Amino acid sequence: MMHLGPISRTAVEQLAHGAEADSRQLYDTLPRPPRGFSSFAKDRPAGSQDLWHARLYLMRPVLRLALAMMWLVSALIGLFMPSGAFLPLVETSLPDGVLIMMARLGGLADLAIGAAVLRGWRPRRMAAVQAAMIAVYTAAFTFLSPALWLLPMGGLLKNIPLLAMIAVLYILEDER
């Protein structure tokens, strides 16, 4: 099951049953009548931390889904792309068999990371794993074929904003 915030099976079941209670007894025990929400909100306006939290709260599952999809698609590419499609991109002296094995092993690693991120398994630890894997990929491909930094569609350059996304998700996953 994927965890995406306050929406859970239990919450949905509780909403289906509704909430009914006799409030007269509560009103009788309070020292003064409760205020309406508008009155309460006017007396205590949202601070910048409240606005940040409200704006970023729903981005947490979006970031998680985006990163999980990136890892899963990368896994499919690494596992199933014909070697003739990616070998010309990597100009190195390593034998083709080694490069193919690296692509397939990378695909398996990407699959495991994508599944763990999608599931929400140990999110802060997985953020560190993602950052480490991107750092390893970036270092390895920089060593094997530095020209990948200059590809027209971004190539290795895309790893920089990915690391920023992972850092933001790492911060948002802390629910203290």
Side-chain angles (χ1 to χ4, degrees):
M1 170 179 265
M2 192 168 80
H3 303 286
L4 292 176
I7 301 171
S8 66
R9 182 178 300 142
T10 304
V12 171
E13 287 175 7
Q14 286 178 333
L15 288 172
H17 292 311
E20 295 181 23
D22 183 11
S23 58
R24 277 179 274 136
Q25 187 178 8
L26 173 65
Y27 285 116
D28 292 342
T29 60
L30 292 174
R32 61 180 178 262
R35 299 183 295 164
F37 177 76
S38 297
S39 171
F40 172 79
K42 186 178 86 179
D43 290 343
R44 187 171 179 227
S48 60
Q49 71 277 9
D50 301 315
L51 295 173
W52 274 81
H53 181 77
R55 291 173 180 155
L56 287 174
Y57 188 77
L58 295 176
M59 284 304 297
R60 181 174 157 198
V62 170
L63 280 173
R64 186 183 305 155
L65 287 172
L67 286 167
M69 295 310 296
M70 186 269 310
W71 287 109
L72 294 172
V73 170
S74 178
L76 294 175
I77 291 168
L79 290 170
F80 299 111
M81 179 181 272
S83 58
F86 67 83
L87 287 176
L89 295 174
V90 184
E91 299 171 12
T92 182
S93 59
L94 289 175
D96 289 352
V98 171
L99 293 172
I100 293 168
M101 181 186 68
M102 288 171 59
R104 302 310 182 227
L105 289 174
L108 288 174
D110 291 355
L111 183 63
I113 291 170
V117 171
L118 186 63
R119 171 67 174 92
W121 183 77
R122 299 188 183 204
R124 290 181 58 103
R125 180 177 292 169
M126 288 312 301
V129 168
Q130 290 176 81
M133 186 62 96
I134 289 175
V136 167
Y137 282 164
T138 304
F141 284 113
T142 297
F143 176 75
L144 291 173
S145 185
L148 292 174
W149 281 97
L150 303 174
L151 288 177
M153 299 301 284
L156 291 177
L157 194 59
K158 292 177 183 171
N159 290 351
I160 296 168
L162 277 173
L163 289 171
M165 283 177 62
I166 292 166
V168 170
L169 185 61
Y170 180 86
I171 292 165
L172 294 177
E173 291 291 2
D174 190 9
E175 289 191 339
R176 284 189 270 156

